[in-house]
Amino acid sequence: MTAHPQDGTQPPSRRKFVAASAAVGAAALAGTAGAAAAPAHARPTVTARTAAGRAGAVCTPIPNKYDEPFEVCDDELFVFMANYKPFENPGFFDAVIGDALRAAFPGLKIKAAAWDRPIRYEDLDKAGVVPDIVIEDPRRRIDRDLEPRGWTRDLTDDVRSAGIDLGALNPAAVAQVRARSDGGLYGVPLFVDDFVLLHNKKIFDMKGLRPPRNGVTYDEAFRLAKKLTFEKNLVAYKGYLQHPDLYLEFNQLGLYPFVPGASESPAPEDVRVDITSAGWQRLGANMERFLLHPHNIFTSVDDYLLTGSVAMAVDSLWKLNAYALSPLYLQQDDAAQWRELAKKVEIGVTSVPVLGQGESGTYQPNTMAAFLPPQSTKKAQALQVLKWLVSQEGQVELARHGMKPALRSRAVEAAFGSAVPELAGIDTSGIFWGDNAVVSGYENTEYWDLPLYMVFRQHVLKDGLKVSSALTITETVDIPKYIKSQVELGFDW
C-alpha cells in the first residue's frame, strides 16, 4: 500500500475523532437490534462488559494509539466513516445528518466515528468489531480496505427489496461503485465530493477580466491563465493550478487504465494497463500546456488559499465550504490561519473546464458510498437507515449543508448550501452543472492504486520529457515495477 507523494504544502492537521453517540432510531425498527456483530477476524483478548445504566447492553472496548476510551455496544448501530476529511471535525456528522436521523428514527441508538481519532481499521480488527455501516470511497477502498476484511456483500437484492431507486441516483456514481463490485453492487452512493473550479475575483479585477462561467473550455481557461500569470509588486500571480494526478485518475473521458482480462481477480502478472491510447494522449496534451506555461509553476492547489495569488484552481467541493469559512468545515487546527488567509480571496466557483466546445463532461465522481458488512446482525436496521440516507429527505439534508448528494432532483439542488450562511452571495450553480464522466471498460479488472503521479510530476516536470513519452514510460516501466514491488511486499492489489 503506497501513498501518493505530497504536492508541496504543509501537512494537513492531524485527523480528529468524530463522535456522534446518540439515541436515534425508528419505531418500525425498535426492538430488532441483535447481539454484537461476529468478527471478521479471530477475536482478540478484549473483554466485553455490560454497559452501566443500560440494562443488558454488552460493550466492547476498542484500544487505540491515543489511549482514549472508546467502546461499541451491541444495542447501538455503529457507523464508521473514512476518507472524507470533514467527517473528522467534531460535530460534523451530527450537524449534516445525525440530528435529522434522530428525528426520523427516534428509537434506534447510533454511534458514529471517523478514522483515525481515536480508532482506525486495524483497531477494529484487533477488537473484533465490525461496523454496521461503513461510509467510504468505493473507487480505491473496496479493494484496499473492505474486501480484504470480508466487509463487502452484494446488495443488489437488498436494494431492490428496500425499494431504493438506483435510477434516481447519479449514474456515474453508481457506475463507479459497480466498477469495483466484482459484477455486483457492494455499496450505494450517498454523496459526491465533486471537483470544481475555484477562482479569485480579486485577481480577475486586477487585470480587468471577466471570471470564467459554467461550461468554460480548457482552451478558454488556458487563454485566461496566460493573461493571469504575471508579477506585480514582487508578487508572482499564477493563472491556473490543477492537480495533474487527480486530473488523470478522475479523467473526463471516463477512461479506465486497466485492460479487461479473463477474470475479476486477475493474478498480478496478468494485470495489463493502457494509458497511451488516443484518449490518454488527448488528456495528456491538454494538461501539459498549463504545467509548462512560463511561471505558472505547479506547486499545490492549496495555494489558492495559502498564497492568495492564484487566479484559478481545481479543487474538491468541501474546500469551497472551508474557504468560505463555514465553521462546520474548518478544522480547529486550521481555523485561525484560514480566516486570516481568506482576506486575500474573493471566492468564485464554476464547473471544471470541459474538454471541448459544447461538451458537458466533468470529472468522474469523487463518490462516497455506504457499505453494509455481512457480519452485522443489524442488517435490517442498517438497510432502513441506508434507504433514508438516499431518500429525498436525507439527501436534502446533505445538500443544505454544502454537500452534493447522489440523488438527482430539483429539491436537492434548490436546497444546496441553505444551512451554510457563509455561501450566501456565492453563485454555486456550477456544483450541479454538467454530468460526471461515467467510467467504462472496468469489467474483468482488479483495481491497483497506480503511480500515475509519475506521468506529470516526475517525467514531465522533473525529467523534462514530452507528455507522450511520459505516458509511455509510466505504462511500460513504472507501473509494472510498482506492481512487482507490491507483490513482494505481500499485497495483491
Side-chain angles (χ1 to χ4, degrees), residues 157-207:
D157 291 339
D158 291 296
V159 165
R160 185 184 300 114
S161 65
I164 296 173
D165 182 8
L166 294 177
L169 304 182
N170 184 318
V174 174
Q176 190 177 78
V177 176
R178 289 193 186 281
R180 299 282 27 102
S181 296
D182 301 321
L185 183 76
Y186 288 159
V188 175
L190 296 184
F191 63 93
V192 178
D193 188 32
D194 232 343
F195 291 88
V196 294
L197 177 63
L198 301 172
H199 59 268
N200 186 347
K201 294 180 181 179
K202 291 186 177 182
I203 300 177
F204 280 82
D205 290 343
M206 289 172 66
K207 285 293 187 179

Side-chain angles (χ1 to χ4, degrees), residues 44-49 59-61:
T45 55
V46 175
T47 303
R49 63 178 181 79
C59 301
T60 302

Side-chain angles (χ1 to χ4, degrees), residues 68-408:
E68 292 185 10
F70 190 89
E71 63 184 15
V72 176
C73 300
D74 63 359
D75 63 347
E76 298 171 320
L77 187 84
F78 180 38
V79 180
F80 189 69
M81 303 164 286
N83 287 299
Y84 179 62
K85 199 165 188 63
F87 276 143
E88 302 166 26
N89 297 346
F92 184 87
F93 176 82
D94 281 348
V96 302
I97 205 70
D99 291 344
L101 273 172
R102 294 185 183 93
F105 301 111
L108 183 67
K109 298 183 179 71
I110 187 170
K111 187 171 200 124
W115 194 97
D116 83 316
R117 180 124 196 175
I119 58 171
R120 298 184 174 198
Y121 279 117
E122 51 266 37
D123 300 322
L124 296 174
D125 293 341
K126 292 175 183 177
V129 172
V130 179
D132 301 295
I133 298 177
V134 179
I135 299 177
E136 250 289 15
D137 164 15
R139 187 178 65 92
R140 295 182 303 143
R141 299 296 173 167
I142 287 178
D143 291 274
R144 293 177 63 143
D145 288 317
L146 303 183
E147 275 192 323
R149 291 181 166 81
W151 288 7
T152 57
R153 63 186 176 96
D154 187 3
L155 298 177
T156 302
D157 291 339
D158 291 296
V159 165
R160 185 184 300 114
S161 65
I164 296 173
D165 182 8
L166 294 177
L169 304 182
N170 184 318
V174 174
Q176 190 177 78
V177 176
R178 289 193 186 281
R180 299 282 27 102
S181 296
D182 301 321
L185 183 76
Y186 288 159
V188 175
L190 296 184
F191 63 93
V192 178
D193 188 32
D194 232 343
F195 291 88
V196 294
L197 177 63
L198 301 172
H199 59 268
N200 186 347
K201 294 180 181 179
K202 291 186 177 182
I203 300 177
F204 280 82
D205 290 343
M206 289 172 66
K207 285 293 187 179
L209 295 172
R210 295 177 61 182
R213 70 198 185 288
N214 293 331
V216 62
T217 67
Y218 279 102
D219 287 343
E220 292 168 332
F222 184 58
R223 288 195 290 270
L224 283 172
K226 290 192 291 184
K227 295 176 181 178
L228 292 164
T229 300
F230 63 99
E231 184 177 317
K232 182 176 181 180
N233 297 329
L234 300 181
V235 176
Y237 291 87
K238 296 181 182 180
Y240 188 95
L241 293 179
Q242 186 167 2
H243 200 300
D245 309 356
L246 299 177
Y247 166 79
L248 290 178
E249 290 175 10
F250 291 91
N251 71 82
Q252 293 162 255
L253 295 177
L255 298 178
Y256 209 49
F258 303 96
V259 176
S263 168
E264 290 280 0
S265 301
E269 61 269 20
D270 294 330
V271 173
R272 299 289 181 268
V273 298
D274 168 24
I275 58 169
T276 54
S277 57
W280 290 100
Q281 297 292 351
R282 179 188 180 192
L283 292 167
N286 179 56
M287 178 55 56
E288 183 179 38
R289 55 182 168 167
F290 289 91
L291 296 173
L292 297 184
H293 182 66
H295 303 291
N296 190 53
I297 301 165
F298 178 76
T299 47
S300 164
V301 294
D302 291 342
D303 280 354
Y304 173 82
L305 182 77
L306 293 176
T307 69
S309 57
V310 175
M312 296 177 284
V314 173
D315 211 336
S316 52
L317 178 56
W318 80 263
K319 291 282 192 67
L320 168 64
N321 290 281
Y323 291 171
L325 304 180
S326 166
L328 278 176
Y329 289 85
L330 286 179
Q331 292 201 337
Q332 293 175 359
D333 294 350
D334 298 328
Q337 180 190 19
W338 284 28
R339 290 190 183 99
E340 186 63 28
L341 292 170
K343 295 176 182 178
K344 298 180 181 179
V345 176
E346 185 179 352
I347 298 174
V349 59
T350 65
S351 60
V352 296
V354 295
L355 290 168
Q357 195 70 44
E359 297 188 27
S360 61
T362 61
Y363 272 29
Q364 294 170 40
N366 189 18
T367 307
M368 293 298 290
F371 302 86
L372 310 183
Q375 294 87 351
S376 171
T377 57
K378 304 181 183 66
K379 294 185 181 68
Q381 296 98 318
L383 184 60
Q384 289 303 309
V385 168
L386 172 58
K387 181 179 180 179
W388 185 87
L389 287 172
V390 295
S391 71
Q392 181 146 291
E393 182 182 358
Q395 294 280 285
V396 162
E397 280 301 308
L398 294 177
R400 289 180 62 245
H401 291 92
M403 302 163 77
K404 180 179 178 179
L407 181 68
R408 299 176 300 165

